Amino acid sequence: MWSSSSRIGRQAASAFVCGRHTQLLHRLQNPQQHQHHQLPQFRHHQQHLHRLYSSAADDVAVAAPLRSTKKKSDRAPPKHLVDVKSVRAAGGRGGDGRVSFMKLFGNENAGPDGGDGGNGGHVVFRASENVTGLGHVPVELRAPAGEKGYNKDCHGKCANHAYVDVPVGTVIKDCAGRVVGDLSRPGVMFVAARGGAGGHGNRYFATDTEQAPEVAELGGAGEVLRYTLELSSIADFGLLGFPNAGKSTLLRAITRARPKVAPYPFTTLQPHVGVVQYDDQESVAVADLPGLIEDSHRDRGLGISFLRHVQRCTALLLVVDLSAPEPWTYVDVLRHEVRCFSAPVLDRPQLIVANKVDVDGARDNLAELKRRLPDDEIVDISAKHGVNLERLLKHMKRVYDQRRKSAEADGAADSD
């Protein structure tokens, strides 16, 4: 238990240190007011302080990542993200009408009283923020049927609609590949299959000339249609790299996701998504994408199915293995493959993640990588040993904040 005197001492020391830091920052920001510090013996010290405090100020401005205290699930096998699914939607059948005649005391022929059947339910896709993938969506979607009609002019009950929650940003395509629905905002709905109408009872067919009809309608059949559901965006960041570059290990280190890690290529065949929490109540989604090889845009390896995942990430993390010979050539190949598939994807924010910095010879490759790519932002890490992961997460948060501010500005400009 700390005493009150020691607590006061710590507060005084903290105030003194903060005051010294404020004075140094003021001197760095206003060098003309402190010309006596421009002597040669102080110049190197001033440059060092400028780098130190500028980086410290940037780190303070960015929210810090939170370490998850919850234990990872031990369920096997871990679930991957399902971002494409073909479904068959069938609307509910309408209820049949009733053939009935009313019988009253003293009047056995009181006329027809058959009620109508209820309408069948619709199959409705609804955008929701509570789901992140399409794995929960069944292949066969069927709405309930309407209730049949009853005697004494009682109509059958209409069936409830079958609502299927899908992630926000789901694109719905028909059999011909045409986009028929885009659920870009929470709460937006799309009627995939309409239910059939309920049939009329014999009371509906009574006329002046036909007062005792013995005919009723059957309920209408619901629509049966096929759709392809695709996620337009699966994550804020996508881990892009060659096989065995350490993408799955990195996702395991920074999130609670559990992608497969093995010493052979193409261990990841489907994308896995993890979430990084920050202390400003923001969360950033990171996707571990399948490995890319040269000529993937010509459908080599996983081919187009892999590049489709890249197109749905708002920012790219180019993971490079520093233990490989000439790792800078891998960056060129990655960008070339993405450019051949979709050139606009390269306009999105990019961050080069130099992995396996703990391996022998990696420091030399890192220096050469920075020399050959001076305009790119490079973060050297070791996903296996947890080196520089906090720095990487802060860089990601900075890119995420800039992307969100630009999106908000574009939205405000469009509304004006």
Side-chain angles (χ1 to χ4, degrees), residues 30 36 128 138 146 176 254 289 305 314 358 374 389 404:
N30 302 278
H36 58 280
S128 174
I254 63 178
L289 304 178
S305 62
T314 56
D358 56 305
L389 292 184
R404 186 184 60 179

Side-chain angles (χ1 to χ4, degrees), residues 271-295:
H272 292 259
V273 176
V275 178
V276 181
Q277 301 286 345
Y278 290 87
D279 59 2
D280 61 348
Q281 307 303 319
E282 289 283 351
S283 59
V284 176
V286 185
D288 175 23
L289 304 178
L292 180 146
I293 62 175
E294 194 172 358
D295 289 337

